[in-house]
Amino acid sequence: MERYVGKSIFNGIAIGKLYFYAKEEQQVRRSKTKDVKTELERYEAAKQQAIAELTTLYEKAVKEVGEVNAEIFNVHIMMLEDDDYNDSIHNIIEKQELNAEFAVATTADNFYEMFSTMEDEYFKARAFDIKDISERVIKILGGASTGSDIGSDPVIVAATELAPSETVQMDKEKLIAFVTEIGSSNSHTAILARTMNIPALIGIQVQESWNGKMAIVDGNNGVLYIEPEEAVLQDFQRKKEAEEKNRELLLQLKGKENVTLSGQTIKLYANIGNTSDLASVMKNDAGGIGLLRSEFLYLETDHLPTEEEQFQVYKQVAETMAGKKVIIRTLDIGADKQVEYLNLGKEDNPAMGYRAIRICLTQVDIFKTQLKAILRASAYGNIAIMYPMIISVEEVHKIKRIVEEVKAELSELGIAYGQVEQGIMIETPAAAVISDLLAKEVDFFSIGTNDLTQYTLAIDRQNSKLDSINNPHHEAVLRLIELVVKNAHKEGIWAGICGELGADTTLTKRFLEMGVDELSVSPSRILPVRKVIRETK
């Protein structure tokens, strides 16, 4: 038996045979051509086929992992259509009279080198995307398959690295877990694994000799066992059976209250990134939506979404939730979420740059358009508005003045709107420290623990080199959360958590002790968290 320790990016246990997934080696030869026109046509045809394949992948991913996670394929399409990328390929073919395959490979190498040496983690990640799209085009030019066949039996996929396109193309009925050497807990492939609810490990040096061998992926402890001893195998089979029984037990919790053994009640809401997630919200019995990430409306189009386009989406969500609370976070764009048409420009430190409410308060027309759409939709359900990235009372005052202006404009036009609660996200240490002052200005707090952890610990959460010290359980983070809840209650407003810590069941009891009023988690985590709440004294 061999035992390897890696980093878990999704819990659970998988038992089965390993399938070593090897990328086909792209043997790109440099050859001169006298027919430049034909080579350019070959490239354009291959590019269009690649775009068609990526469009199909996007549609497949939307059904399987939701629109937010599928967005990477739209990014790949945009990269294929990028002028700089295409100009480089055309230039090599035309000026050097070389074959299309070599032109694509050379451009890919140059762009990969450029992006991978950048300090910004967002742009570093684009290096792998360039590699992925270029390999696809080269395969098409060479007549090779661009699929990801893993055979007909359920397997644990082992690979040096997996591109999102490869993961999505794999048969989900056959993929029971994966293990990779390269990757980070914030990579697109890691996110897809969590969305598909399959155990996954990274940071393990995989070997082709493992192909076909029996293995165990222990996603709970980050361990891979190759050809496990009989006693170990039986032990994990028992653990796996217990996990499956636990999942069945969780289904019995649907319709139950989120109340502790001592009678303490807490609201349990869902975080969603698109209207396609609504079915999962209903299936998992969420009490409401604690975070609707409205930026999907801006990321999935090539223009600023109009008031009417936004209104129809917010109205659909409000009507679907049938009176349950729907908290819409206003535009949270910037940092790792960029849209070309806003021309935000490159920043040395985008996580702390021109983003979220800072954009809204300087480009007020964009903000007003969204507020009008939300307020109009509030006539059709129980909608609240939440503002991200707040650092001062002055910002809240500006926001409230703009909201009143929007209400006045709607009233003048005779357009109905409902009464909406207005809250802010506490995701900066500044907001946490002055939460006693902020609590006097708003109706609720929602603590965004992902960014609060990042800013409190001075750790870029996109930087995989810092994974070992990125500790969301850090006492400084927990003390700030407790301070925020305490200050909220002093002013008679409620405080919830909408970051990933809300779904961390090792902290549920502590959050209850702090008096947290609401937890907002991904839909699949509603019932597991409810189970812990109901078992807490």
Side-chain angles (χ1 to χ4, degrees):
M1 179 177 76
E2 299 173 60
R3 183 177 183 274
Y4 299 87
V5 178
K7 179 179 175 61
S8 173
I9 53 175
F10 195 76
N11 294 344
I13 295 169
I15 301 173
K17 289 189 176 180
L18 281 160
Y19 179 93
F20 182 80
Y21 179 79
K23 294 177 186 285
E24 291 182 26
E25 289 293 325
Q26 297 295 305
Q27 298 294 334
V28 178
R29 298 190 178 187
R30 181 182 184 277
S31 60
K32 281 286 203 178
T33 180
K34 294 181 179 178
D35 192 349
V36 167
K37 183 172 179 288
T38 296
E39 287 304 304
L40 289 172
E41 289 173 349
R42 284 183 67 232
Y43 168 67
E44 287 301 322
K47 182 180 79 172
Q48 292 307 316
Q49 183 178 331
I51 289 171
E53 290 179 358
L54 288 167
T55 300
T56 300
L57 276 178
Y58 171 79
E59 293 167 353
K60 184 175 187 286
V62 165
K63 295 175 184 175
E64 294 179 350
V65 297
E67 290 190 41
V68 171
N69 293 320
E71 186 58 28
I72 181 60
F73 300 113
N74 278 337
V75 173
H76 281 192
I77 291 171
M78 286 189 287
M79 294 177 86
L80 271 174
E81 294 174 330
D82 179 73
D83 288 342
D84 291 335
Y85 180 78
N86 282 280
D87 287 348
S88 173
I89 292 168
H90 284 199
N91 184 65
I92 292 171
I93 294 172
E94 291 173 344
K95 303 297 183 186
Q96 301 181 44
E97 297 183 342
L98 294 173
N99 57 317
E101 291 91 338
F102 186 80
V104 175
T106 301
T107 297
D109 288 344
N110 292 339
F111 275 60
Y112 180 89
E113 181 68 23
M114 176 177 66
F115 281 118
S116 63
T117 55
M118 290 183 176
E119 292 184 7
D120 187 284
E121 289 297 318
Y122 174 81
F123 288 104
K124 273 189 177 180
R126 299 290 73 78
F128 293 100
D129 293 329
I130 283 287
K131 189 177 177 183
D132 193 14
I133 63 170
S134 301
E135 286 177 351
R136 178 175 294 276
V137 174
I138 292 169
K139 280 183 179 180
I140 293 169
L141 285 166
S145 168
T146 56
S148 301
D149 184 24
I150 57 175
S152 58
D153 298 317
V155 291
I156 297 166
V157 170
T160 301
E161 63 178 324
L162 283 172
S165 58
E166 292 169 324
T167 310
V168 167
Q169 287 180 99
M170 292 175 180
D171 186 342
K172 302 305 171 292
E173 299 299 316
K174 305 296 185 292
L175 179 60
I176 61 174
F178 69 71
V179 180
T180 66
E181 184 174 333
I182 299 171
S184 77
S185 56
N186 294 306
S187 68
H188 292 296
T189 302
I191 292 168
L192 289 174
R194 289 193 285 267
T195 307
M196 292 186 291
N197 292 320
I198 59 172
L201 305 179
I202 58 175
I204 291 179
Q205 191 169 352
V206 301
Q207 301 170 33
E208 188 171 356
S209 60
W210 292 352
N211 195 55
K213 292 183 177 180
M214 179 61 69
I216 298 169
V217 171
D218 178 6
N220 301 319
N221 297 295
V223 180
L224 171 69
Y225 297 87
I226 308 290
E227 295 189 317
E229 297 168 354
E230 187 61 28
V232 174
L233 182 60
Q234 289 180 5
D235 181 45
F236 275 97
Q237 284 172 336
R238 284 192 294 269
K239 290 178 180 176
K240 190 171 184 295
E241 288 170 6
E243 283 188 350
E244 289 168 354
K245 286 180 181 177
N246 191 48
R247 278 194 291 270
E248 293 172 9
L249 176 64
L250 289 176
L251 293 177
Q252 299 173 18
L253 294 170
K254 292 186 71 172
K256 304 292 185 183
E257 293 184 346
N258 309 305
V259 57
T260 66
L261 294 173
S262 62
Q264 183 181 353
T265 300
I266 189 170
K267 294 182 179 70
L268 198 48
Y269 291 169
N271 297 333
I272 68 170
N274 201 297
T275 52
S276 63
D277 295 329
L278 286 171
S280 187
V281 172
M282 308 302 283
K283 176 184 174 183
N284 288 283
D285 198 34
I289 294 173
L291 170 61
L292 169 58
R293 302 179 180 93
S294 67
E295 55 270 15
F296 78 89
L297 289 164
Y298 299 78
L299 291 167
E300 295 175 6
T301 182
D302 59 0
H303 65 277
L304 275 170
T306 65
E307 178 187 328
E308 189 62 26
E309 287 171 337
Q310 294 189 62
F311 164 68
Q312 291 298 336
V313 171
Y314 303 144
K315 176 174 175 280
Q316 178 191 350
V317 177
E319 289 179 334
T320 302
M321 294 307 293
K324 291 181 178 178
K325 178 85 74 180
V326 175
I327 302 175
I328 300 174
R329 180 176 69 188
T330 57
L331 177 61
D332 188 6
I333 215 79
D336 61 333
K337 292 173 286 189
Q338 297 285 335
V339 288
E340 288 186 11
Y341 58 81
L342 281 179
N343 298 313
L344 298 179
K346 184 184 181 303
E347 296 181 298
D348 291 334
N349 195 350
M352 294 187 180
Y354 185 53
R355 56 176 295 199
I357 202 64
R358 297 168 182 179
I359 295 174
C360 292
L361 291 179
T362 53
Q363 300 192 46
V364 179
D365 288 345
I366 294 175
F367 194 29
K368 280 189 168 183
T369 297
Q370 181 172 35
L371 289 173
K372 284 180 182 177
I374 295 173
L375 286 168
R376 286 174 57 195
S378 69
Y380 298 85
N382 183 9
I383 285 180
I385 310 177
M386 179 163 71
Y387 308 105
M389 201 65 182
I390 299 298
I391 62 167
S392 70
V393 172
E394 289 73 24
E395 286 173 328
V396 178
H397 287 166
K398 288 179 185 177
I399 290 166
K400 291 166 78 172
R401 284 196 296 270
I402 293 169
V403 171
E404 289 307 310
E405 289 173 13
V406 170
K407 287 181 177 179
E409 291 171 15
L410 291 175
S411 296
E412 190 174 335
L413 294 169
I415 298 174
Y417 57 87
Q419 293 297 316
V420 297
E421 284 188 324
Q422 296 184 73
I424 61 172
M425 291 191 71
I426 303 291
E427 49 191 338
T428 66
V433 171
I434 63 166
S435 54
D436 58 330
L437 303 178
L438 292 168
K440 301 177 189 294
E441 305 292 336
V442 297
D443 298 311
F444 67 91
F445 288 153
S446 189
I447 304 168
T449 56
N450 300 352
D451 270 335
L452 183 61
T453 300
Q454 170 174 243
Y455 297 133
T456 302
L457 303 185
I459 287 176
D460 179 357
R461 58 191 173 102
Q462 300 292 330
N463 189 339
S464 59
K465 293 179 181 177
L466 304 177
D467 279 354
S468 62
I469 59 171
N470 186 1
N471 176 22
H473 290 210
H474 196 291
E475 191 61 29
V477 176
L478 297 176
R479 288 187 186 186
L480 285 177
I481 294 171
E482 188 167 17
L483 174 66
V484 170
V485 174
K486 180 180 177 182
N487 285 332
H489 291 170
K490 278 183 181 178
E491 294 299 328
I493 69 171
W494 62 270
I497 292 175
C498 67
E500 288 191 13
L501 278 190
D504 187 338
T505 51
T506 65
L507 288 173
T508 303
K509 183 178 180 181
R510 183 157 182 183
F511 290 149
L512 286 164
E513 291 170 347
M514 289 180 187
V516 172
D517 302 289
E518 175 252 10
L519 296 173
S520 188
V521 302
S522 63
S524 65
R525 295 296 297 164
I526 293 287
L527 294 175
V529 174
R530 177 174 295 164
K531 181 176 185 291
V532 173
I533 291 169
R534 292 175 62 84
E535 291 173 350
T536 300
K537 293 181 180 179

